[in-house]
Amino acid sequence: MKTLRVTVLLLAAVFFAAPLVASAAFGFSLPGQGFTFEPLQRATGNPAFWQQVGRSVLLAVLTAVIGSVLLMGTLLWLHLRARTLLPLAEGLSVLPFVVPPVALVMGVNLVFRAIHPGFLTSLLSLVPFYVVLTMPLVYRALDSGIRAIDLRTLVDAGTSLGAGRLRLFWEILLPNLRPALLAGGLICVAMVLGEFVLASLLLHNTYPVFLAQVGQDNPRAAAALAFLTLAGTWLLLAGFARTLRSERTRS
């Protein structure tokens, strides 16, 4: 049984690592030169590179903040006041997995074309789409964090000691829900930095769109950027996991 587990783990490691290694080998090399950073330097030397990265980071931060605030408030109210509606809310939260992005964009486009034609031309119009797109995973991250604490006891204890709603949330609930909020925020960042369909359909230039455009002219640079993006996301998740373990050890 131990040999089988080791074999499965090794096969899984090869399955996930082989594409990354191949991407890095292709992206950081040139025929006749071997290992080189030249393809990456060409891509990062493009004036549009840092602009698109900044746009995607801005969208990721706004999506994480807005999505966390909306879902955290909704989930706290459901857990405290309407627990019978939690199954319904959980079912509704998976709708973004059911509705294709193309249908979502076309439906919203028809509505806003009649109400506010200029809305979809703004880069910030992507934020509501990204909030909806990340909702299924962020909902579950926050819901798991709330279920892991004794919410009712904390609220009753804080209220009995005279804490108002703002102080109750800021000083009692927020420290206990910090890991869940960090997990939800990292999910938003990872998904927004890799989202291509919505941005391309709405004709907005973001980092994934830039990466696709670079891949048409310079596939080695695109492979190098894709590898660095995946490595950066992995390091971010690893840092979060280490921080979470440290907090649990101290508590």
Side-chain angles (χ1 to χ4, degrees):
M1 184 62 68
K2 183 178 179 180
T3 303
L4 179 61
R5 289 198 299 266
V6 172
T7 302
V8 171
L9 290 175
L10 288 176
L11 290 176
V14 172
F15 178 79
F16 288 106
L20 295 178
V21 174
S23 178
F26 178 73
F28 293 99
S29 64
L30 285 175
Q33 297 186 23
F35 180 81
T36 178
F37 287 105
E38 184 177 344
L40 182 63
Q41 291 172 348
R42 291 179 183 176
T44 56
N46 190 324
F49 171 75
W50 294 108
Q51 181 182 10
Q52 312 310 343
V53 170
R55 288 184 172 185
S56 291
V57 171
L58 174 63
L59 291 171
V61 171
L62 291 177
T63 302
V65 172
I66 295 174
S68 298
V69 170
L70 292 176
L71 287 176
M72 179 59 70
T74 302
L75 282 169
L76 288 176
W77 182 82
L78 288 173
H79 277 275
L80 291 172
R81 301 291 181 86
R83 293 188 62 87
T84 57
L85 296 178
L86 281 171
L88 176 61
E90 185 173 0
L92 292 176
S93 69
V94 300
L95 285 179
F97 284 157
V98 179
V99 180
V102 176
L104 178 63
V105 170
M106 294 305 297
V108 174
N109 186 29
L110 292 175
V111 172
F112 278 97
R113 186 183 299 174
I115 299 175
H116 194 328
F119 173 72
L120 295 178
T121 61
S122 171
L123 177 69
L124 298 181
S125 65
L126 286 172
V127 175
F129 289 100
Y130 288 163
V131 170
V132 173
L133 185 67
T134 58
M135 182 175 63
L137 298 180
V138 177
Y139 178 96
R140 275 145 189 78
L142 298 181
D143 186 56
S144 298
I146 293 176
R147 293 179 185 273
I149 64 175
D150 193 347
L151 179 63
R152 173 58 64 182
T153 301
L154 291 175
V155 171
D156 291 343
T159 303
S160 64
L161 293 174
R165 291 184 179 180
L166 182 60
R167 187 176 183 183
L168 178 66
F169 174 77
W170 191 259
E171 297 186 7
I172 299 177
L173 297 181
L174 186 60
N176 288 280
L177 296 174
R178 188 186 307 163
L181 288 169
L182 287 175
L186 287 176
I187 289 172
C188 288
V189 171
M191 293 187 69
V192 171
L193 291 181
E195 201 291 313
F196 170 78
V197 177
L198 291 175
S200 61
L201 288 175
L202 292 173
L203 304 179
H204 289 297
N205 293 320
T206 60
Y207 176 68
V209 175
F210 172 82
L211 197 61
Q213 293 173 347
V214 169
Q216 297 176 1
D217 302 324
N218 192 349
R220 292 183 182 273
L225 287 176
F227 173 79
L228 291 179
T229 302
L230 290 173
T233 303
W234 180 83
L235 291 175
L236 190 64
L237 293 173
F240 162 72
R242 183 174 181 180
T243 302
L244 183 58
R245 285 196 300 268
S246 300
E247 289 186 355
R248 289 177 176 174
T249 303
R250 287 196 300 267
S251 60

